[in-house]
Amino acid sequence: MSLSPSDASPLASKEINRLLVANRGEIASRIMRTCRILGVETVAVFSDADAQAPFVREADIAVRIGPAPSRQSYLAVDKILDAAVRTGADAIHPGFGFLSENADFARAVREAGLIFVGPSAEAIAVMGSKIEAKERVSAAGVPIVPGYNGQQQDTEVLAAKALEVGFPLLLKASAGGGGKGMRVLRSPEGLKEAIDAARREAQKSFSDGSLMIERYVERPRHIEFQILGDQHGKVVHLFERECSVQRRHQKIIEETPSVALSPELRQKMGQAAVAVGEAIGYYNAGTVEFILSPEGEFFFLEVNTRLQVEHPITEMVTGVDLVAGRIKVA
């Protein structure tokens, strides 16, 4: 598979003939299906728990990388890189979960002389901090939820900023997601205690106790736009997915198109998603997430710098193979 050269990456002129999938299960199988269509050989890595799993049999080459615990296998960067070198892989695709949004892993792959099928380590790092991400996209003119994203994190400072933002408000971990380190407060009562509790949970979950304060948007919709950027500075979007049906901040149902978006609002949000990608020099596939108020206001939430679980519904309505797009961009 020949790839066009690019000034953005010294490895972009290298061909991908053999790709290692640094993941397991359904996503590994999904990547391998597209690789077969593209004529790219695949390498599976597996732990002892997955020795008989279908994705291992589907690969052209399979390499055991350790025992069942993920820390000793799917999260062991040195073992994954060693498997790639020993099998002659040209590239590594991280799938989703595990190391897919780990900037150090993306950097290590490239330093090993391999192609990382994903965005730059710098983009992953910037979007991994919600505070830095919001500063970057706000400077590009993309609306963000009013609140406090500053570096001063003392409890007294955060409490004062919370009173400025007003109630209801949302305390949220800067470095994480999934509802960890998150608190909704509707009054000043117990404010400092809630800040300390959210900080402890964020530190425990993400090794980073930094918090953000946002105005809490009542009854929001959660709208995300799929973007795809090349290594020449061009970013496009492939429309939206709505994931408003959630339980404990975890998505349950994804649908597209969203019934909440008029053509005009869809255009505005799509343009904002592209602006986010351009603001951080994003290439490869990613997802820009927004919240949408009942009044039609939308605000930037975060960027998922990977392929998402729900990507097939975008493929279904656009006819675009996002895995193929990721590989071709890489």
Side-chain angles (χ1 to χ4, degrees):
M1 169 184 179
S2 297
L3 303 177
S4 300
S6 165
D7 294 336
S9 170
L11 295 175
S13 61
K14 186 176 180 180
E15 292 188 352
I16 298 180
N17 295 307
R18 182 172 294 169
L19 181 145
L20 183 145
V21 183
N23 219 294
R24 62 181 295 280
E26 186 276 335
I27 183 56
S29 294
R30 165 70 188 88
I31 294 166
M32 291 173 188
R33 286 199 299 272
T34 287
C35 284
R36 283 194 291 274
I37 294 171
L38 296 175
V40 175
E41 294 182 350
T42 55
V43 179
V45 291
F46 64 92
S47 73
D48 291 342
D50 293 322
Q52 303 302 318
F55 79 92
V56 177
R57 299 192 298 272
E58 292 165 2
D60 295 292
I61 303 171
V63 180
R64 176 190 177 275
I65 54 171
S70 58
R71 288 286 176 190
Q72 301 176 48
S73 51
Y74 298 109
L75 294 174
V77 173
D78 56 340
K79 294 181 179 180
I80 292 171
L81 293 179
D82 178 67
V85 171
R86 287 194 290 116
T87 58
D90 308 300
I92 294 180
H93 193 309
F96 47 70
F98 291 134
L99 296 165
S100 62
E101 293 183 281
N102 187 306
D104 291 337
F105 179 59
R107 190 174 294 110
V109 170
R110 292 185 169 113
E111 288 176 352
L114 304 169
I115 295 172
F116 179 73
V117 183
S120 67
E122 293 72 24
I124 295 174
V126 169
M127 290 298 110
S129 167
K130 289 184 173 65
I131 289 176
E132 188 173 356
K134 292 200 171 189
E135 290 176 349
R136 191 75 70 92
V137 303
S138 178
V142 177
I144 64 172
V145 180
Y148 175 71
N149 307 317
Q151 299 299 320
Q152 296 185 48
Q153 290 286 312
D154 292 342
T155 299
E156 294 294 333
V157 172
L158 291 175
K161 295 295 183 182
L163 294 175
E164 291 178 11
V165 172
F167 298 88
L169 62 78
L170 183 67
L171 297 175
K172 186 160 58 173
S174 171
K180 301 293 186 182
M182 187 179 289
R183 299 285 190 282
V184 177
L185 298 177
R186 299 185 179 277
S187 72
E189 185 177 354
L191 174 59
K192 292 182 180 179
E193 292 81 0
I195 290 171
D196 290 338
R199 179 186 290 114
R200 287 194 298 269
E201 187 174 357
Q203 184 67 41
K204 180 180 179 181
S205 300
F206 312 114
S207 299
D208 184 345
S210 300
L211 299 178
M212 300 163 48
I213 302 171
E214 294 180 349
R215 189 185 89 196
Y216 183 63
V217 180
E218 300 278 8
R219 296 179 292 111
R221 288 180 180 265
H222 190 142
I223 309 290
E224 57 191 28
F225 271 73
Q226 177 72 57
I227 62 171
L228 187 64
D230 64 19
Q231 295 189 49
H232 303 275
K234 179 66 175 178
V235 180
V236 298
H237 75 80
L238 286 82
F239 304 101
E240 80 277 6
R241 299 185 288 260
E242 176 165 353
C243 45
S244 300
V245 180
Q246 301 186 13
R247 181 173 183 267
R248 296 176 181 173
H249 306 289
Q250 298 291 333
K251 303 168 186 176
I252 295 176
I253 295 175
E254 293 269 352
E255 59 180 327
T256 189
S258 167
V259 297
L261 301 192
S262 65
E264 295 76 19
L265 184 55
R266 178 173 292 110
Q267 182 178 16
K268 288 181 180 178
M269 295 182 74
Q271 289 172 342
V274 169
V276 169
E278 291 175 343
I280 60 174
Y282 197 91
Y283 57 83
N284 219 279
T287 300
V288 183
E289 301 197 2
F290 300 98
I291 56 173
L292 177 67
S293 76
E295 295 75 33
E297 292 182 288
F298 67 90
F299 305 100
F300 170 80
L301 189 61
E302 64 180 341
V303 176
N304 295 126
T305 55
R306 55 173 167 78
L307 192 69
Q308 287 194 284
V309 176
E310 55 269 24
H311 75 277
I313 68 170
T314 293
E315 295 179 323
M316 180 173 65
V317 300
T318 63
V320 175
D321 185 327
L322 289 172
V323 174
R326 285 174 64 86
I327 293 172
K328 290 176 180 179
V329 167

